[in-house]
Amino acid sequence: MYAKIPSQEQQRLIGRAEYIAEQAEERAQEQAKRQEIRHSVPEESAPCESIDIPFSTLPVSAGFGDDLLAQDGTQETISVPATPTTRRANFAVRVDGDSMEPMYSDGDIVLVEQDQEVPEGQVGIFAVNGAGYIKKAGRRCLISANDKYDDIPISPDDSVRCFGLVIGKL
């Protein structure tokens, strides 16, 4: 059929076909970008609803310890996206310091699932002699992720309280 068309019309037909092919390729690239974005955003980060969880105004130290007993902390609530992780959280608390970097940085808000015990090697919120910490649970010590900080030894004479397991951050 193409051969039956006059050469001038053949050139016009080729130009039109090239234009249609370019448009189709652009649409395919746009669709691929949308798919890439859709797959790169975790499902849990784009929820439709939000929930309120308790938020402690007292920070926990990622450093040398914040005196939880000396501070007058109150509890507020914060609205967060409703995800499987935030639904598990019993409360949130702000990190103060850099001893848990790169996992948790100064100013991060971490989500905590209340528990009396944090498994060894997991990150939790602890109070040792009244000072609050976010640290990895160790065998008779609390461990910082940042090598600049020494472990915090726990002796039988120390008053230790576990507030819960850190399950994520906002």
Side-chain angles (χ1 to χ4, degrees):
M1 290 179 75
Y2 178 77
K4 294 180 185 178
I5 299 174
S7 66
Q8 185 178 359
E9 292 299 318
Q10 286 178 350
Q11 292 303 316
R12 206 173 112 202
L13 183 60
I14 290 171
R16 181 77 177 134
E18 287 173 345
Y19 174 78
I20 292 171
E22 288 172 8
Q23 293 296 311
E25 187 172 331
E26 286 176 14
R27 280 193 302 273
Q29 288 175 348
E30 286 176 26
Q31 185 175 8
K33 284 180 185 176
R34 283 193 298 272
Q35 284 292 100
E36 183 178 319
I37 291 169
R38 190 175 303 132
H39 292 297
S40 69
V41 175
E43 184 177 318
E44 135 170 80
S45 70
C48 298
E49 63 179 289
S50 64
I51 60 172
D52 290 337
I53 60 173
F55 175 68
S56 175
T57 59
L58 291 178
V60 290
S61 178
F64 296 110
D66 289 321
D67 190 352
L68 293 177
L69 300 177
Q71 297 183 37
D72 180 27
T74 59
Q75 196 170 40
E76 302 173 353
T77 58
I78 56 173
S79 185
V80 297
T83 67
T85 302
T86 58
R87 289 181 194 279
R88 280 181 45 208
N90 297 104
F91 67 95
V93 65
R94 186 175 310 280
V95 174
D96 179 27
D98 65 349
S99 75
M100 291 306 290
E101 287 183 351
M103 297 182 321
Y104 304 106
S105 299
D106 185 46
D108 282 350
I109 295 175
V110 294
L111 301 167
V112 183
E113 184 175 41
Q114 275 183 315
D115 205 339
Q116 298 298 313
E117 193 173 311
V118 172
E120 193 172 320
Q122 297 295 311
V123 177
I125 304 298
F126 305 93
V128 179
N129 301 323
Y133 296 95
I134 175 172
K135 299 288 180 190
K136 282 185 186 177
R139 179 168 247 150
R140 296 188 193 111
C141 66
L142 298 179
I143 303 166
S144 298
N146 188 333
D147 291 337
K148 292 189 326 187
Y149 296 88
D150 293 331
D151 293 349
I152 299 169
I154 307 289
S155 75
D157 296 332
D158 288 323
S159 168
V160 179
R161 180 174 174 199
C162 177
F163 288 93
L165 178 69
V166 175
I167 58 173
K169 67 180 175 178
L170 298 177

